[in-house]
Amino acid sequence: MDFVRYEDYTPVERPGYQQELDEVVSNVARRTRESVQRQDVGRAVRTAHGKTYGLVKATVTVGEVSAPYAQGIFATPATYDAVVRYSNGLGHLRADSLLGAACGMGIKMFGVPGTSLLTDEAEATTFDLNLINNTVFFANTAYDYMVIEELFAELPDALVNPARRKSWMGEFLTRRGTLASADEWLWDELFAMLSFTQVQRRNLLSYTYNSMGAFRYGDHIAKIRTVPLSPVTHLEVDVRADGEAFRNTLVAEAGERDHAFELQVQLNTDLGRMPVDNTSLEWPEQLSPWVTVARIDVPRQDIGGEDNLTAADGTSITPWRTREDHRPIGEIQRVREEVYRRSSIERHRINNQPRQEPASSAELL
């Protein structure tokens, strides 16, 4: 199988990108400040992944990996201390019945060698992975994100309100009327957004979580996912009976048994059919299989205290807290670099939280 070389990918450089990015970052910073009043909990809340479900201690083990998958931090066997943060994808703090089922799995590894791509913390030994329980994303450019982020803030209300649903989808599809031709409309992005409504509410430990965006993978290009290895006792999440069902199910499951996941990589074989700059299209598995490069072990533990939620809320996860061999690529990935950084700076400042990367899971838990 022939894998695309990283050097053969040419980033798309659009005129106006920097101006659009500056506006996106400004809007996110403003919405972060406004969240203090909007969410009414006495602190700033993330504009996405606002509701945290818990933080668990974990271990990431890299075994013997065959070429060409032995790249970057997965090139040699190693064991890393880690934590995993689970959260809801929306930026609201509500009962689970009033939120969707799009949930995130953020992995932070400690003691990873090399220089971080985040220039303001280049010496930090942490390495993050941002994953979500869907295979596709709904924005691909800075301009898309600038418009869609405002619409995203209306979810899930807009899609369950018959009076708003049709106009909301029209605004999304046409980028609020800025795309005149149907050939330009955001069909892939709209279908990607609607695919999130098909995600079933289940135990957070039972999902497969995906990076959606692409990364450099040493000499190649890849996407990343986690696949659960352990069956769960509490599969169903009844949000009608329990407004904190995701959290309570996670606490119960984590307290009863160990859990494990495979960390897998899909290498790109065709930039045409496996596009880097369109995260709204899933990479066909028949073009390139998923291959396991590491194992994540989550030992049985008690995460039921409020201190766990406090630690989870203060934990920053960004795809750019990584190494050069795993650089995020594609325009929406570049957007995330400054959006995540600025959001974290604003949130920690408002909440009087120290913005400093921990050196181990023990510092957090």
Side-chain angles (χ1 to χ4, degrees):
M1 186 173 292
D2 293 326
F3 299 110
V4 173
R5 305 283 296 184
Y6 171 69
E7 61 195 29
D8 293 333
Y9 166 71
T10 302
V12 176
E13 301 292 344
R14 294 186 306 102
Y17 165 77
Q18 188 59 51
Q19 181 179 351
E20 295 165 5
L21 176 61
D22 291 343
E23 188 167 349
V24 168
V25 171
S26 176
N27 289 343
V28 168
R30 172 182 54 80
R31 287 183 56 78
T32 300
R33 293 191 296 270
E34 292 174 350
S35 70
V36 178
Q37 182 175 1
R38 185 175 61 248
Q39 299 298 330
D40 195 26
V41 292
R43 60 180 172 84
V45 176
R46 292 173 175 86
T47 58
H49 295 276
K51 185 173 184 178
T52 296
Y53 292 127
L55 190 71
V56 297
K57 177 179 171 55
T59 301
V60 178
T61 303
V62 179
E64 292 286 347
V65 180
S66 61
Y69 295 90
Q71 305 275 339
I73 70 166
F74 304 104
T76 56
T79 300
Y80 299 103
D81 177 31
V83 292
V84 176
R85 177 169 65 85
Y86 290 99
S87 58
N88 190 277
L90 295 180
H92 306 299
L93 299 182
R94 301 174 174 177
D96 289 340
S97 59
L98 302 177
L99 296 172
C103 294
M105 178 184 190
I107 303 168
K108 183 181 293 294
M109 300 158 58
F110 302 96
V112 178
T115 302
S116 175
L117 291 186
L118 290 180
T119 55
D120 56 350
E121 52 180 68
E123 301 304 316
T125 68
T126 43
F127 184 106
D128 294 355
L129 292 172
N130 289 64
L131 311 172
I132 199 166
N133 57 349
N134 202 0
T135 57
V136 289
F137 193 55
F138 49 80
N140 289 296
T141 69
Y143 196 86
D144 290 347
Y145 194 93
M146 183 167 56
V147 176
I148 291 172
E149 199 266 339
E150 294 283 340
L151 293 170
F152 180 80
E154 293 187 46
L155 297 178
D157 307 36
L159 294 182
V160 298
N161 181 352
R164 176 60 174 139
R165 183 188 305 124
K166 187 174 181 180
S167 61
W168 187 94
M169 287 195 288
E171 289 179 33
F172 187 107
L173 187 61
T174 65
R175 214 197 268 144
R176 282 194 164 152
T178 61
L179 300 176
S181 169
D183 291 338
E184 299 176 306
W185 290 353
L186 304 180
W187 292 107
D188 291 341
E189 290 83 349
L190 180 61
F191 291 141
M193 172 64 80
L194 294 177
S195 73
F196 282 91
T197 67
Q198 304 304 308
V199 177
Q200 300 298 307
R201 289 182 172 91
R202 298 206 318 258
N203 189 311
L204 292 164
L205 295 165
S206 71
Y207 288 121
T208 293
Y209 293 88
N210 296 266
S211 65
M212 299 182 293
F215 296 81
R216 177 181 183 180
Y217 193 76
D219 296 331
H220 303 290
I221 295 170
K223 289 187 177 182
I224 298 170
R225 75 177 185 182
T226 60
V227 179
L229 291 174
S230 312
V232 296
T233 303
H234 312 277
L235 180 61
E236 299 301 320
V237 174
D238 189 351
V239 298
R240 290 171 297 181
D242 181 2
E244 301 300 320
F246 276 119
R247 162 73 175 164
N248 292 334
T249 303
L250 177 65
V251 170
E253 191 75 42
E256 290 178 6
R257 58 189 302 178
D258 300 342
H259 291 83
F261 309 83
E262 288 184 337
L263 184 62
Q264 299 182 334
V265 165
Q266 183 185 30
L267 294 184
N268 195 301
T269 59
D270 186 330
L271 288 173
R273 291 186 290 174
M274 304 173 75
V276 167
D277 288 282
N278 187 347
T279 61
S280 302
L281 294 178
E282 185 174 357
W283 288 4
E285 201 164 340
Q286 62 266 30
L287 295 181
S288 181
W290 288 94
V291 173
T292 299
V293 296
R295 175 185 169 108
I296 305 169
D297 286 286
V298 176
R300 177 186 175 191
Q301 57 196 281
D302 179 8
I303 61 168
E306 283 299 314
D307 58 334
N308 182 271
L309 288 177
T310 299
D313 185 67
T315 300
S316 172
I317 306 284
T318 167
W320 283 86
R321 190 171 284 117
T322 185
R323 304 295 181 266
E324 178 57 43
D325 275 345
H326 303 288
R327 173 181 290 273
I329 56 175
E331 182 169 321
I332 199 63
Q333 292 279 60
R334 298 200 306 274
V335 169
R336 283 173 170 150
E337 178 180 13
E338 187 59 18
V339 165
Y340 279 54
R341 192 184 77 87
R342 183 64 180 275
S343 174
S344 175
I345 290 172
E346 286 292 323
R347 195 174 62 255
H348 284 79
R349 178 185 63 80
I350 295 169
N351 296 341
N352 292 316
Q353 295 171 321
R355 187 173 176 269
Q356 182 176 350
E357 278 299 279
S360 69
S361 62
E363 286 190 25
L364 292 172
L365 298 169

